């Protein structure tokens, strides 16, 4: 049963990924779709980031006692200024660990 | 001539590998966590590894293992995996024009290796590279280290098991990585509107089933970006 699930999930995920790449020479997307796709990085990455920062255990944490929120704000400033993945991770994880140690949480 | 071309492709591969190196800082812990979760849910290291090889998509691997563990029916598991990984189809459509002219085999490999990180770095790197050979070389330079690291770290996580402390909050490195990756895409008011709307809607819709909040956020963000571009009277971009 687990084997079938893995195989089916694998085929499904592959088809989702390969879909437009596989058809790229046969398929010219309409102009409206191309305009929409320009916003995929901004929209999708942001939709991945915000819940990871603001939602934990299924509920929303907007108050400053959400240490991840504070760490994320620090990291966002570093990301904006440097556009560097390494510096952003160091700033974000460093802030999170310092706050966790400081608050004894 | 052939030699020149060969070493140029080597440089493109190396440039991709260099760009992806810092991303491994967040991807490898996530793969470790995926392996740890597998063992905690009662799966063997072999099953964890099979998931990583066959599915190769972290969030959906963890959720699928949880659902198998909970005894969910296959249809529900596949529906959930489809929604979590639907963003890859948006990536595929966005990045597809750059793979024109590649053979079917290369396109299949590019599809299998398409991740959040490979998509964004690929997209940024393709803009300054002409020709399918150079693009493929750069893309593989990004995607192969990600793939290899993912496979090794999953097995490591499953072997180390619970000895990896959850208190470190290593999963937080993933959104931090995305934060750095999203910045170059925020180059005008419509793309800021796309990001703000996408994030806010994804949070507001976080308790929708099957990870639909992510899809709702993505679609709302794209719509907001298009509306912003329409207000400004932007021309469509190539390709």
């Amino acid at each position: 049963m687990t084997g079938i699930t893995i195989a089916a999930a694998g085929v499904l995920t592959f088809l989702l990924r390969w879909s437009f790449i596989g058809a790229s020479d046969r398929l010219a997307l309409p102009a409206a779709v191309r305009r929409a796709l320009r916003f995929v990085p901004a929209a999708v990455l942001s939709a991945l980031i915000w819940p990871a920062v603001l939602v934990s255990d299924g509920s929303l944490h907007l108050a400053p006692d959400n240490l991840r929120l504070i760490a994320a704000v620090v990291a966002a400033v570093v990301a904006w200024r440097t556009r560097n993945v390494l510096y952003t991770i160091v700033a974000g994880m460093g802030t999170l660990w310092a706050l966790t140690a400081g608050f004894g949480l | 001539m052939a030699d020149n071309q060969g070493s140029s492709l080597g440089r493109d591969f190396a440039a991709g590998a260099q760009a992806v190196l810092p991303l491994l800082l967040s991807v490898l812990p996530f793969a470790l966590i995926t392996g740890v979760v597998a063992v905690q849910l009662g799966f063997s290291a072999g099953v964890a590894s099979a998931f990583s090889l066959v599915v190769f998509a972290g969030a959906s691997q963890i959720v699928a293992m949880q659902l198998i563990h909970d005894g969910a029916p296959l249809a529900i598991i596949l529906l959930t995996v489809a929604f979590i990984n639907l963003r890859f189809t948006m990536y595929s459509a966005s990045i597809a024009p750059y793979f024109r002219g590649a053979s079917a085999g290369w396109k299949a490999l590019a599809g299998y290796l398409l991740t959040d990180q490979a998509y964004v770095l690929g997209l940024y790197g393709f803009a300054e590279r002409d020709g399918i050979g150079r693009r493929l070389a750069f893309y593989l330079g990004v995607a192969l280290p990600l793939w290899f690291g993912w496979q090794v770290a999953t097995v490591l996580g499953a072997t180390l098991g619970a000895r990896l402390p959850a208190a470190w909050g290593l999963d937080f490195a993933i959104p931090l990585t995305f934060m750095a990756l999203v910045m170059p895409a925020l180059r005008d008011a419509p793309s800021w509107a796309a990001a703000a709307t996408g994030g806010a809607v994804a949070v507001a819709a976080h308790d929708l089933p099957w990870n639909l909040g992510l899809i709702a956020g993505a679609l709302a963000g794209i719509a907001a970006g298009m509306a912003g571009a329409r207000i400004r009277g932007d021309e469509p971009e190539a390709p």
Side-chain angles (χ1 to χ4, degrees):
Chain A
M1 180 58 200
T2 301
I4 293 170
T5 306
I6 293 174
V11 170
L12 180 66
T13 303
F14 171 74
L15 290 177
L16 292 171
R17 286 170 156 155
W18 172 70
S19 52
F20 286 93
I21 293 175
S24 58
D25 278 295
R26 279 165 284 137
L27 188 72
L29 292 171
V33 176
R34 289 205 307 272
R35 279 199 295 276
L37 290 173
R38 188 195 134 194
F39 296 107
V40 166
V44 179
L45 290 177
S46 191
L48 287 166
I49 294 166
W50 288 37
V53 172
L54 296 174
V55 179
S56 62
D57 298 326
S59 53
L60 196 58
H61 296 277
L62 288 169
D65 67 342
N66 177 1
L67 302 184
R68 289 191 173 206
L69 176 54
I70 300 171
V73 171
V74 173
V77 172
V78 172
W80 175 245
R81 304 291 295 210
T82 68
R83 303 187 171 205
N84 180 299
V85 174
L86 182 59
Y87 298 158
T88 307
I89 292 176
V90 168
M93 294 308 298
T95 307
L96 182 66
W97 287 338
L99 289 172
T100 308
F103 286 91
L105 295 171
Chain B
M1 187 65 200
D3 277 350
N4 283 343
Q5 199 183 4
S7 67
S8 149
L9 292 184
R11 273 199 297 275
D12 286 314
F13 185 93
Q18 197 181 351
V20 84
L21 210 57
L23 275 66
L24 294 177
L25 266 183
S26 67
V27 170
L28 297 186
F30 191 41
L32 279 172
I33 291 167
T34 306
V36 171
V37 169
V39 174
Q40 283 170 350
L41 290 173
F43 296 102
S44 65
V47 168
S49 188
F51 255 114
S52 281
L53 274 171
V54 176
V55 182
F56 186 47
S60 69
Q61 287 176 222
I62 290 179
V63 173
M65 289 189 296
Q66 183 70 53
L67 288 173
I68 294 174
H69 178 260
D70 296 346
L74 181 62
I76 294 296
I77 298 174
L78 292 182
L79 198 62
T80 306
V81 167
F83 278 121
I84 293 176
N85 292 337
L86 201 55
R87 68 185 189 284
F88 292 138
T89 302
M90 298 187 208
Y91 297 163
S92 184
S94 163
I95 211 169
Y98 295 106
F99 287 114
R100 284 199 182 125
S103 72
W106 284 117
K107 284 177 184 168
L109 182 65
Y112 168 67
L113 293 173
L114 187 65
T115 54
D116 298 299
Q117 294 82 1
Y119 163 66
V120 182
L121 287 188
L123 199 62
Y124 294 160
F126 290 163
E128 55 196 54
R129 282 179 177 79
D130 288 327
I132 184 62
R134 292 195 61 197
R135 286 172 179 166
L136 269 177
F138 179 81
Y139 182 80
L140 293 177
V142 170
L144 285 180
L146 281 171
W147 180 87
F148 187 72
W150 184 261
Q151 306 306 332
V152 172
T154 311
V155 176
L156 265 181
T159 315
L160 293 173
R163 271 177 287 176
L164 207 72
W168 290 359
L170 287 175
D171 57 303
F172 191 52
I174 289 285
L176 293 175
T177 304
F178 291 159
M179 224 176 257
L181 289 179
V182 78
M183 290 304 170
L186 302 176
R187 54 204 163 147
D188 52 16
S191 54
W192 275 101
T197 308
V201 170
V203 166
H206 74 268
D207 51 5
L208 288 182
W210 306 322
N211 217 50
L212 274 169
L214 172 60
I215 301 303
L219 293 178
I222 291 168
M226 289 185 81
R230 177 167 291 241
I231 291 166
R232 297 199 335 166
D234 288 358
E235 288 297 311
E237 290 194 0

